[in-house]
Amino acid sequence: MVISCYAVVVGAEKEEHRKGGQVAKVTTATRLLFGRHSHSVKLQGSLEHCPAHPSAMSSSSTSSPTDNSSHGSLAPSSFGAALNPASGTNTSTQSNAQKPFSLSERLNFEIYRYSSYSPNYLPENVLVDCPNDQTSRWSAYTNSPPQFLTLKLRRPAIVKKIKFGKFEKSHVCNIKKFRVYGGLEDEHMVLLLEGGLKNDNVPEVFNLRCLTEDGAENLPILYLKIVPLLSWGPSFNFSIWYVELHGQDDPMYTSARMKSYNSLREVEIIKLCLKHFRQQGYMSAFGALQEQTNVQLEHPLISELHKCLVLQGDFEKAERFIVECIDEGLMDEYLYKQDYKHSWHMKHTESDMKPGNRGGHQLVVDAKKRLIYLYGGWDGYQDLSDLWVFNIDDDQWTLLCERSELSNGPTPRSCHKMVFDPISENVFMLGRYLDNSIRTSDYIKSDFYLYDTRAGIWMQICDDTSQVGGPQLVYDHQMCMDADKRTIYVFGGKILTPRSVNATGAIEPEYSGLFSYHIATNTWAQILVDCHHASASMADVLSIKSRITHCMVFHNKHRKLYIYGGQRGKEDLDEFLSYDVDTQAISVLNKEQPHHGTTAGNEAKFEPSSGYTLRATIDCERDEIYIFSSLSKVKDRRDIQHVDASNSFWVYSLRNHKWSRIYYCRHSGQDANSISRMNILGASKGDGALEPCPRYAHQLVYDDLANTHYLFGGNPGICQQQQLRLDDFWLLRLEKPKREEILKHCRFLVRKLRYEEMTRQDPLKAMQYLRHHIAAVIDHNDAEQLNNFHKLASLLFKNHDGSLERECTTPALCADGEDLETDPDVSAKMRDEVADGPATENLSLESNESLISSGISETASSPSSSSCTKRARTECTPELKNKRAFLFNKLVQLMPASMVQPERNLSDFVVM
C-alpha cells in the first residue's frame, strides 16, 4: 500500500513536471507519507527506481552488480526495494539482523552540491531511474567547465563501484568523458576514476579506486564528485540520468579503515587541550594530560622558547633562540608564503639605435647568454620585419635584420608567436594576422621559420604547416617550448580563411586545437581538436574548447601546460586548465565556482580578469605562474581615460594552488598629449611610483636566472591617436622578504614587550632601551614603523593604572631630561603624545588583534589598581604573563606548522 501510494503521488508530480515545465513541488500527501514538514522532499540515493517502471514493483533483496571490467555494462537493474514510510529510505525484505553481510551493497546518498542546472532538469533526478522519461535527468546549465555533481553518503564508506543509468535510446547529452573524485571532505578529494560512457541505452558500471596511493589501506570517502568533461554532442550540455553507488558503509567494516584518520583527529584534540591548559596556567592538568596520552604539544625547541620567554621572561635568551631558528631556515616557509614586493624600472639603454614604436610584436629570452630577441609588430601604419637583440649585461640593442624577408626570413607580420630553444639556440616563429583584404587562397599559408642565433641566418622550415599535419594559419595563438623532449606546443588561435569563404557566410570563426612539433624529426602531430571540429564527436578523438588571447606556459618538471583565460566569440573564458603532455589528462585548477547556476566576477573570486591583455610567464624552480594584466575590456582599449584602466600583477602558486595579487593600480584619465609626452618616458605615475601606463598588444618575458621580467611597447588605447604605439622598455623585479627583515621584525616584537615591562619597573632604563635597542631594529625610512616607534615613547609618561601623567614627576626622568632632548624626533613626538592626552589604542599590541581572540583570557585576578602596579615591578603578574603568551603565539606562527602548537584554539569551538 505504501509503494502504491508513493507511485500515485510521484507519478502525478512527474506528469505535472512534464506538462507545466516547472520544478516539481511535493504535495501534502507526499509530506504526510514521508513524515516531513518542509515544502520540498530532499530525495535520497535509495529512492532509485521510477514507480512507473516495472522493476520498481519487485521485492527482491538488494544485490550488487556483477564484477566486470571498469568499462563493463549491465542490463537495467531489477533491484527491488520496499519503502520505509517513516524514514523515506529503502529496506530489504529481510531485516537488518537477517541480511547477510556483503562487501558490496547499494549505498544511500543525497545531492550535496552542484555547479548548475537547466530548468526542469534538477540534480535530484539522478536519484530516480526512469529510462523512459526524457526529463528524468540532471542537465548542467552550460557545458563550460567545471560542471559537477557532488554526492554525500549517509556515512563514510568504501565505495567500490558506480553505476550510470541512461535514457532508453542514445542521446547527444550523454557524457562521453568524465571524472569521479572522492574524499572525507568536499574540499579535499582524490581522483577515483576517469572514463566515459557509450552513447547507447545500456547502463554501465565502473570500478572505482578504493585503495590509498600505496595500496596498503582502503580509502574511506564521504563525498563523491562527478565531473563531466565532454558530451557526445560537443556543443550540448552535460546530462546524467541516474547514479547508483555500491560498496560498504557498515561501521564494523569501515571503522578499521578510518582508524588512522581518527587517530590524527584525536591527537589534534589533545593538542588543543594542552594549548588551552598552558595558556590559562593549568599546568597540573597540562602535565597530567601530556603524561597520560604521551602527546607532545610541540617540538622541544619551541617548548624551550615558551619557557624562556613566557615563564622566565628571559628576553635576551629568547632573541638568541630566534636568531638560531632563522639561521636554521625554520622561518623560510613563512617567508615563501609572503607576497612579493614589486619595483618597475625604466631601461635607459646605451644604444644609439633601438626598436621603434610597435605593438603585436614578440620577445624571447636566451637566459644563459643574457640576450632578448625582438621581431616584427605593427607600428600603427604597417607590419614590421626587423629583428633585434638586447644584451642585458651591456644594456645595448643591436639590429640583426632590418628587413628579414631579404635574408630568406619571414615577411613583415604581427600577432605571430616565437619560442626559444635553449638546446639548439634557435628561435622558432609561427603564425601572423592578415587583413581580410589580402586573404587569398594563395597567400594564406602557415609558414614556419627558425632563426639560427649562432650562425645569424634565417631558414624556412615549411611553407605551410597545414600540409604536413600542423595547424592552419592562425593568430592570437600560444606557443611553448619543451626543451627536454625537443617539442614545441601550439594551442588555440583563430584560423584565417580565404576571403571567398567568409563571403559565403561562415557561421562562426574556426579555432585551432593543440598541436605538437618535434624538432629532431621535423614532424607535426595534432593532440586535441577544437570541440566544434567535425571529428570531435568520434570516440577516439580528444577535444578541447579552443580560444584566442589566452595565456599558456609549460612547466618542464611537472610536464604540464597551464592555460588561463581567453575568449571565444563574445564569451570571456576565465577557466584555468592544466594539460599533462605525457598522460593527456586535463584538469581544472580554479574549481571554486559559484553554485546554483549563479555567476560572479573574477574580482570576487580573486583571480585575474579575463581579457585581451593577459601576459603569462613561469618560474619552474619556484613553481609559480606570473600574469600581468593591463587594459582588459573593449571599452578600455578604445580610451585609456576609462575609469577601469589599470595595471595589476598576479602570482599563482602551484604548490598552494592560490592566487596572490602583488599590486593593483588604477590610473587616472590621461589625454593623448600626456601619453605622447610620456612616450619618451613611457610611464605613468601609479601609487607615487614610475610604472608603465595601461596598454595592450605589449609583450612580457621572464629571465628565470635573474628572476626578472622585461616589458616592451604596446598600444596605450588612445581613441584620439589610434596609430599611437609605444617603444618603452621596462624591467620588473619581484622580491620576497629576506631573513634579515624577519629577524628585525621578531627582535622588534620581543624588545617592544621588554620595553613595556621596563616602563613599569624603571622608566629611566626603559628610555635608554628605547633609544638604543628598539631604535636599532626599525626602518626609519618606513613611516608606519617610525610612527609606532614614536607611540612607544608615550608609555614613559603613562601611569599603569590607565592614565597618562600630565607632568614629568619621576625624579629619574627629570634628572635625565637633557639626554631625552638629544633625540629631537623622539622628544618632539613624546611632547605631542603627552599634549594630546591619553592614547586611544592599546599600545602593548602591534595589531588590532586582542588577547581574547588569540585564545588568551585576561583573568579576574589581573591587577588593575595602582597598588598592584607597584607589585608588578617585582613579579610577573597574570597580565604580563598573558602578554608574553600573546607574543609567543605570534612568534610561533612564523615557524613550520609541524613543529608548533595548533593554530586554532579550544575556545574557538565554544559559542555562547
Side-chain angles (χ1 to χ4, degrees):
M1 180 61 187
V2 170
I3 296 179
S4 300
C5 181
Y6 172 69
V8 170
V9 173
V10 178
E13 289 172 10
K14 279 199 166 286
E15 186 65 21
E16 180 183 353
H17 182 102
R18 289 192 294 270
K19 291 181 179 180
Q22 299 178 350
V23 177
K25 300 295 183 181
V26 180
T27 63
T28 304
T30 308
R31 290 197 296 272
L32 292 174
L33 176 65
F34 287 95
R36 295 175 182 260
H37 302 286
S38 62
H39 293 287
S40 61
V41 167
K42 190 167 189 179
L43 293 174
Q44 295 193 344
S46 52
L47 307 179
E48 61 277 282
H49 296 294
C50 174
H53 198 276
S55 64
M57 304 308 296
S58 172
S59 60
S60 61
S61 61
T62 301
S63 61
S64 60
T66 58
D67 187 10
N68 43 29
S69 65
S70 62
H71 289 271
S73 60
L74 206 66
S77 173
S78 59
F79 305 153
L83 194 66
N84 185 336
S87 64
T89 59
N90 70 320
T91 58
S92 170
T93 54
Q94 303 179 22
S95 66
N96 290 337
Q98 297 173 334
K99 185 173 67 174
F101 180 80
S102 171
L103 290 180
S104 186
E105 298 180 350
R106 191 159 62 240
L107 301 174
N108 294 330
F109 61 85
E110 63 183 22
I111 305 299
Y112 177 73
R113 186 177 291 176
Y114 48 88
S115 55
S116 65
Y117 66 86
S118 299
N120 303 332
Y121 302 109
L122 308 178
E124 286 78 8
N125 289 342
V126 304
L127 306 177
V128 181
D129 190 12
C130 286
N132 58 351
D133 182 358
Q134 188 170 352
T135 65
S136 183
R137 55 175 161 138
W138 166 68
S139 184
Y141 186 75
T142 174
N143 61 1
S144 298
Q147 298 298 315
F148 63 87
L149 193 62
T150 302
L151 315 176
K152 183 179 181 181
L153 296 159
R154 177 175 57 180
R155 51 179 173 252
I158 309 300
V159 184
K160 296 189 174 183
K161 297 179 184 294
I162 183 171
K163 172 186 173 182
F164 289 95
K166 299 180 185 178
F167 187 48
E168 60 185 359
K169 56 185 178 181
S170 62
H171 199 284
V172 290
C173 291
N174 284 338
I175 51 176
K176 178 182 177 182
K177 297 169 187 174
F178 65 88
R179 291 196 184 107
V180 179
Y181 298 86
L184 290 170
E185 300 177 21
D186 68 309
E187 300 295 335
H188 301 90
M189 300 192 193
V190 296
L191 183 65
L192 304 181
L193 170 68
E194 185 167 1
L197 297 177
K198 300 173 184 176
N199 195 17
D200 54 25
N201 64 346
V202 181
E204 295 184 58
V205 178
F206 298 85
N207 292 323
L208 296 175
R209 167 193 164 192
C210 56
L211 297 175
T212 55
E213 289 187 355
D214 57 8
E217 297 289 341
N218 285 103
L219 185 67
I221 66 170
L222 183 60
Y223 299 92
L224 187 136
K225 184 176 183 179
I226 305 172
V227 182
L229 301 176
L230 182 67
S231 59
W232 277 94
S235 60
F236 288 84
N237 296 346
F238 310 118
S239 287
I240 297 179
W241 303 81
Y242 173 63
V243 175
E244 194 173 289
L245 301 178
H246 286 258
Q248 182 53 254
D249 66 351
D250 190 320
M252 294 296 292
Y253 177 78
T254 59
S255 59
R257 278 74 188 169
M258 300 253 326
K259 183 178 180 180
S260 176
Y261 174 75
N262 289 331
S263 297
L264 292 175
R265 286 190 63 204
E266 183 69 16
V267 169
E268 186 70 11
I269 293 171
I270 294 171
K271 285 186 175 182
L272 287 171
C273 293
L274 290 171
K275 178 182 178 182
H276 182 76
F277 293 160
R278 186 172 70 178
Q279 286 181 160
Q280 304 305 324
Y282 308 145
M283 299 311 295
S284 297
F286 176 89
L289 180 59
Q290 190 164 255
E291 181 180 358
Q292 184 173 356
T293 61
N294 200 29
V295 172
Q296 298 298 317
L297 174 60
E298 61 211 356
H299 193 280
L301 291 176
I302 306 300
S303 297
E304 185 64 25
L305 174 62
H306 183 272
K307 179 181 177 181
C308 66
L309 177 61
V310 180
L311 301 181
Q312 299 175 351
D314 190 339
F315 295 99
E316 291 184 359
K317 186 176 180 181
E319 274 197 43
R320 291 195 299 270
F321 178 86
I322 291 171
V323 171
E324 293 176 4
C325 288
I326 293 176
D327 290 342
E328 292 294 326
L330 297 183
M331 294 189 184
D332 287 355
E333 182 180 343
Y334 171 82
L335 292 175
Y336 172 79
K337 293 178 181 179
Q338 302 309 298
D339 285 340
Y340 286 101
K341 294 181 180 179
H342 77 284
S343 60
W344 284 103
H345 302 279
M346 170 72 74
K347 291 293 290 181
H348 298 286
T349 64
E350 302 295 331
S351 312
D352 295 331
M353 296 180 60
K354 66 174 185 177
N357 303 39
R358 67 192 67 206
H361 50 287
Q362 276 292 297
L363 298 175
V364 291
V365 178
D366 180 353
K368 185 177 179 181
K369 289 189 174 180
R370 319 293 296 132
L371 300 174
I372 298 176
Y373 293 91
L374 180 152
Y375 179 85
W378 172 266
D379 65 1
Y381 301 93
Q382 62 181 352
D383 281 328
L384 305 172
S385 61
D386 51 346
L387 176 66
W388 296 79
V389 64
F390 178 76
N391 189 304
I392 297 174
D393 294 332
D394 297 338
D395 279 342
Q396 293 236 359
W397 281 104
T398 302
L399 179 61
L400 300 177
C401 294
E402 185 174 2
R403 296 180 62 187
S404 297
E405 68 273 20
L406 301 180
S407 304
N408 300 318
T411 55
R413 63 190 60 203
S414 59
C415 300
H416 51 289
K417 288 296 179 288
M418 299 195 312
V419 293
F420 178 78
D421 177 15
I423 306 299
S424 65
E425 297 183 11
N426 291 334
V427 176
F428 293 84
M429 181 187 302
L430 180 72
R432 57 176 166 164
Y433 175 77
L434 288 177
D435 188 80
N436 190 48
S437 61
I438 58 174
R439 294 181 196 171
T440 63
S441 56
D442 295 332
Y443 193 60
I444 200 161
K445 293 182 179 180
S446 177
D447 48 6
F448 187 32
Y449 286 88
L450 72 77
Y451 179 76
D452 187 333
T453 63
R454 296 171 179 170
I457 59 173
W458 282 103
M459 185 177 75
Q460 186 182 66
I461 305 173
C462 177
D463 66 341
D464 191 355
T465 56
S466 65
Q467 301 302 310
V468 291
Q472 295 174 258
L473 181 60
V474 293
Y475 71 95
D476 277 347
H477 51 295
Q478 289 295 331
M479 289 174 63
C480 288
M481 182 72 208
D482 177 3
D484 295 335
K485 296 296 180 69
R486 309 301 314 288
T487 301
I488 297 173
Y489 293 98
V490 182
F491 171 63
K494 193 174 290 187
I495 298 174
L496 289 175
T497 54
R499 184 177 63 252
S500 58
V501 174
N502 288 336
T504 60
I507 299 177
E508 63 178 28
E510 295 181 56
Y511 295 88
S512 183
L514 175 64
F515 291 83
S516 66
Y517 172 73
H518 190 238
I519 297 174
T521 59
N522 189 27
T523 54
W524 284 95
Q526 182 160 18
I527 303 172
L528 301 174
V529 302
D530 178 56
C531 61
H532 284 189
H533 192 272
S535 64
S537 60
M538 298 174 63
D540 58 342
V541 176
L542 299 174
S543 65
I544 189 172
K545 191 171 188 176
S546 192
R547 61 205 66 196
I548 59 173
T549 69
H550 51 291
C551 300
M552 185 172 77
V553 293
F554 179 71
H555 197 301
N556 55 17
K557 295 183 178 179
H558 294 178
R559 309 283 307 145
K560 290 181 179 180
L561 291 168
Y562 293 94
I563 303 166
Y564 184 82
Q567 295 170 316
R568 187 182 179 100
K570 296 181 179 180
E571 181 185 6
D572 287 338
L573 305 176
D574 58 3
E575 60 191 9
F576 192 9
L577 307 176
S578 71
Y579 174 78
D580 190 310
V581 298
D582 296 329
T583 66
Q584 295 190 322
I586 301 176
S587 302
V588 181
L589 300 183
N590 53 348
K591 296 178 182 178
E592 290 300 323
Q593 296 287 334
H595 304 302
H596 311 296
T598 62
T599 59
N602 294 65
E603 289 301 321
K605 293 182 286 183
F606 203 71
E607 60 186 34
S609 297
S610 56
Y612 296 89
T613 64
L614 301 183
R615 298 292 183 265
T617 59
I618 189 170
D619 191 316
C620 299
E621 296 297 327
R622 296 178 174 180
D623 288 332
E624 292 176 338
I625 296 173
Y626 310 104
I627 290 184
F628 176 64
S629 175
S630 195
L631 297 181
S632 59
K633 303 286 192 257
V634 174
K635 55 191 175 185
D636 293 342
R637 294 179 55 165
R638 293 177 183 153
D639 196 341
I640 198 173
Q641 297 182 61
H642 191 272
V643 67
D644 290 331
S646 61
N647 288 332
S648 60
F649 197 90
W650 299 77
V651 177
Y652 183 81
S653 172
L654 293 168
R655 300 175 188 174
N656 303 327
H657 303 288
K658 291 183 180 179
W659 285 104
S660 299
R661 189 171 68 185
I662 304 306
Y663 83 96
Y664 171 82
C665 181
R666 178 171 292 175
H667 291 253
S668 58
Q670 303 168 90
D671 59 21
N673 291 330
S674 65
I675 290 292
S676 296
R677 289 193 302 270
M678 276 189 233
N679 200 31
I680 301 173
L681 297 176
S684 175
K685 288 285 185 178
D687 293 334
L690 205 63
E691 71 165 60
C693 66
R695 63 192 66 199
Y696 66 96
H698 53 288
Q699 284 305 316
L700 182 80
V701 292
Y702 181 62
D703 177 0
D704 56 1
L705 296 182
N707 305 126
T708 304
H709 285 86
Y710 294 90
L711 179 145
F712 186 91
N715 187 337
I718 302 298
C719 62
Q720 300 98 322
Q721 295 188 12
Q722 296 184 8
Q723 284 74 37
L724 177 62
R725 300 297 184 271
L726 302 173
D727 66 349
D728 49 346
F729 192 31
W730 291 87
L731 179 150
L732 172 64
R733 287 195 177 95
L734 302 175
E735 293 185 352
K736 292 209 171 188
K738 298 181 174 60
R739 288 183 178 182
E740 295 78 14
E741 296 177 58
I742 195 68
L743 176 58
K744 270 194 171 184
H745 175 66
C746 293
R747 278 179 165 161
F748 174 75
L749 294 178
V750 173
R751 293 181 185 185
K752 182 165 75 76
L753 181 58
R754 185 179 185 184
Y755 164 77
E756 291 172 1
E757 294 190 15
M758 280 185 180
T759 59
R760 295 169 173 265
Q761 303 168 9
D762 191 341
L764 177 59
K765 186 178 179 181
M767 182 188 64
Q768 297 295 338
Y769 188 80
L770 175 68
R771 293 176 55 195
H772 298 293
H773 292 82
I774 297 183
V777 293
I778 70 164
D779 182 358
H780 292 267
N781 296 320
D782 188 308
E784 183 179 358
Q785 290 190 34
L786 194 60
N787 186 48
N788 289 334
F789 174 69
H790 289 157
K791 287 180 179 180
L792 288 176
S794 64
L795 286 177
L796 294 168
F797 301 92
K798 183 179 179 181
N799 277 334
H800 294 287
D801 59 358
S803 65
L804 197 70
E805 292 184 355
R806 290 291 176 178
E807 299 180 4
C808 181
T809 58
T810 306
L813 277 178
C814 293
D816 201 57
E818 294 180 0
D819 290 340
L820 186 64
E821 293 296 329
T822 59
D823 191 334
D825 286 339
V826 176
S827 59
K829 190 66 178 180
M830 284 193 294
R831 284 195 298 269
D832 291 342
E833 295 285 355
V834 174
D836 291 340
T840 58
E841 60 181 324
N842 185 354
L843 296 174
S844 67
L845 300 182
E846 183 190 33
S847 65
N848 295 328
E849 201 174 2
S850 67
L851 294 177
I852 295 177
S853 67
S854 67
I856 307 170
S857 62
E858 298 189 69
T859 60
S861 60
S862 298
S864 58
S865 65
S866 59
S867 61
C868 292
T869 302
K870 296 178 181 178
R871 181 161 51 89
R873 299 185 178 186
T874 58
E875 63 182 35
C876 180
T877 65
E879 179 187 1
L880 293 181
K881 198 170 184 179
N882 281 345
K883 290 182 178 180
R884 292 176 183 176
F886 181 72
L887 173 58
F888 171 79
N889 288 347
K890 290 179 73 69
L891 291 174
V892 297
Q893 288 176 4
L894 312 177
M895 308 283 190
S898 59
M899 292 183 63
V900 303
Q901 62 189 12
E903 185 176 352
R904 296 178 296 179
N905 300 292
L906 196 61
S907 56
D908 296 341
F909 302 94
V910 180
V911 180
M912 302 299 290

